[in-house]
Amino acid sequence: MKLTVKDRGAKLARTELCVVFATKGRRPELPEGVELGAAARKDFTGAFRGKRLSDPTAGPAKRLLLIGLGEAKAADAEALRRGAAVAAKEAERLGVASMTCYVGEAVAKTVGGEEAAGAAVAEGLVMGSYRFDELKSKRSKPKCGAAALVGAGADFKRGVRYGRIVGEANCYTRDLQNRPGNKMRPRDFASEARKLGRKGAKITTKVLSEKQMADQGMGSLLSVSAGSIEPAQLVHMTYKPKGKSKGRIAFVGKGLTFDSGGISLKPGARMDEMKFDMSGGAAVMGIFHALCSLDLPYEIHGVVPASENMPANNATKPGDIVTASNGKTIEVINTDAEGRLILADALVYTSRKIKPDTIIDLATLTGAVVV
């Protein structure tokens, strides 16, 4: 969705749909010249994500959509972000080509200021309009492709820019997650990382092959990919700031592009969803997608061990013992507990090669959480 920024002090331009946000129990702050009928005002309660569509009695907006943010004391940037996502979906449902999102002064103040408000609305609109159709034989274009965001000053504009970057990075992450196992293999993960390296001037990418991993003794990671014809890849991305770094941060993400469970085979029902077992790695990639457009004062590293877990004749068996790159031996009781095996070597690599001040690891939840 294309976003533009308008100042709240300027006269509202003609629009097919004007969206206004308001908290519960407070009168909606309408753009100058826009008037709303008494019935519409009475029907709208301001309840969280509640909405009321009506035709204004005056002003340049063809239709007016009121969206609630809930109680004022609880309304924050997240509430506004979710409200903006509702606006994006409603605009698409109504079939309007463009819309205007008006953020009143009271709402901006409630959610943390103009910058926070701009970021929340932009992120909500971008993510709310997300769709995954790149693999469909026939694609339909989204009906609503543009939105004007109305707020006050440079802070609001700066917030919109940040929110757009973060929203687009989230959508990129979702694209990686939604691609099936035959379209998002370990090699595809590596390819995406190299693309980001070419896109971001401050980003570099290197990928370790299975031979290079073996040379470093990564028997834990390689034990998971042993049963797959797809070789594992260890992706290492680096972002370096323009000036002196304030610290070194590393993100390590689980990149199981498909998890059948290996010899400890998962049930067939919903196994198609095991394409999502690389979501931790996708989140790391999403961070670097955002870093292509942001200037942060930290040195940031992203490490993703990408692998498939398949039950071939040479796959790791329950009871096998493997050795990680730090010399630790591991007895594999259940091959469907593979995430810790690939993360173990990735974390050792991160500690030894990168030596960060902070490590944050990301992975999909283990079944033990459900139990």
Side-chain angles (χ1 to χ4, degrees):
M1 179 178 284
K2 182 181 179 181
L3 305 181
T4 55
V5 179
K6 305 292 183 182
D7 193 84
R8 194 186 299 137
K11 186 178 179 181
L12 188 71
R14 294 196 64 81
T15 179
E16 294 180 70
L17 177 68
C18 181
V19 179
V20 173
F21 305 97
T23 55
K24 197 171 183 179
R26 291 187 180 178
R27 189 181 181 92
E29 187 178 349
L30 302 178
E32 185 178 352
V34 176
E35 296 180 12
L36 189 61
R41 287 186 184 276
K42 185 178 180 181
D43 291 345
F44 178 69
T45 64
F48 180 53
R49 297 182 73 182
K51 52 187 183 289
R52 176 61 159 88
L53 180 68
S54 65
D55 296 333
T57 57
K62 185 176 180 181
R63 280 178 283 189
L64 186 69
L65 177 63
L66 301 177
I67 296 180
L69 304 179
E71 297 286 350
K73 61 182 179 181
D76 55 9
E78 175 64 11
L80 182 56
R81 184 174 78 96
R82 289 176 179 267
V86 171
K89 294 181 184 300
E90 280 295 296
E92 186 67 18
R93 184 185 68 82
L94 293 168
V96 298
S98 62
M99 65 178 186
T100 299
C101 284
Y102 183 85
V103 182
E105 183 179 357
V107 167
K109 186 176 180 180
T110 298
V111 304
E114 295 291 343
E115 186 170 351
V121 173
E123 189 177 346
L125 288 173
V126 171
M127 294 179 67
S129 59
Y130 174 79
R131 58 164 69 187
F132 182 74
D133 60 1
E134 67 178 46
L135 298 176
K136 287 188 175 182
S137 54
K138 293 183 179 179
R139 300 189 205 179
S140 59
K141 289 185 177 181
K143 298 181 181 69
C144 185
L149 281 61
V150 181
D155 287 348
F156 184 80
K157 187 174 183 179
R158 184 166 52 250
V160 169
R161 178 181 180 274
Y162 178 80
R164 177 186 57 77
I165 291 169
V166 172
E168 289 174 353
N170 270 283
C171 291
Y172 169 79
T173 301
R174 291 178 180 182
D175 282 344
L176 299 184
Q177 292 174 290
N178 282 324
R179 287 172 189 162
N182 65 329
K183 300 294 184 182
M184 184 44 63
R185 302 157 296 183
R187 69 178 90 167
D188 299 311
F189 234 115
S191 177
E192 286 292 333
R194 291 188 179 102
K195 287 178 185 176
L196 290 176
R198 291 190 293 269
K199 181 180 177 182
K202 298 185 288 293
I203 295 173
T204 57
T205 301
K206 70 175 180 179
V207 180
L208 273 64
S209 66
E210 286 199 335
K211 182 181 183 306
Q212 291 172 307
M213 286 185 265
D215 290 342
Q216 295 190 31
M218 296 186 184
S220 181
L221 195 163
L222 293 173
S223 72
V224 176
S225 63
S228 173
I229 61 171
E230 292 290 339
Q233 313 274 332
L234 184 67
V235 174
H236 179 187
M237 306 185 71
T238 305
Y239 167 92
K240 291 195 174 180
K242 292 178 181 178
K244 185 178 179 181
S245 173
K246 290 185 176 181
R248 187 176 296 162
I249 303 169
F251 295 91
V252 182
K254 177 183 173 184
L256 255 295
T257 56
F258 191 82
D259 179 21
S260 70
I263 296 298
S264 305
L265 194 66
K266 291 178 180 287
R270 300 180 69 178
M271 193 192 282
D272 60 293
E273 294 181 4
M274 292 304 103
K275 66 180 182 180
F276 291 117
D277 214 10
M278 39 63 76
S279 294
V284 173
M285 300 283 278
I287 289 168
F288 278 81
H289 187 283
L291 289 173
C292 289
S293 303
L294 294 175
D295 291 316
L296 298 184
Y298 294 90
E299 181 180 319
I300 302 173
H301 294 259
V303 177
V304 180
S307 175
E308 274 190 346
N309 187 21
M310 300 293 285
N313 64 309
N314 54 344
T316 298
K317 303 174 292 298
D320 284 358
I321 294 177
V322 300
T323 304
S325 51
N326 63 351
K328 178 73 73 175
T329 55
I330 304 166
E331 183 181 15
V332 180
I333 302 300
N334 185 326
T335 64
D336 195 22
E338 80 300 320
R340 64 206 70 185
L341 295 178
I342 68 170
L343 283 171
D345 275 329
L347 287 166
V348 171
Y349 171 89
T350 303
S351 298
R352 288 179 172 175
K353 302 292 184 181
I354 302 171
K355 297 180 174 62
D357 302 310
T358 302
I359 299 177
I360 300 170
D361 70 289
L362 305 100
T364 41
L365 294 176
T366 172
V369 173
V370 180
V371 175

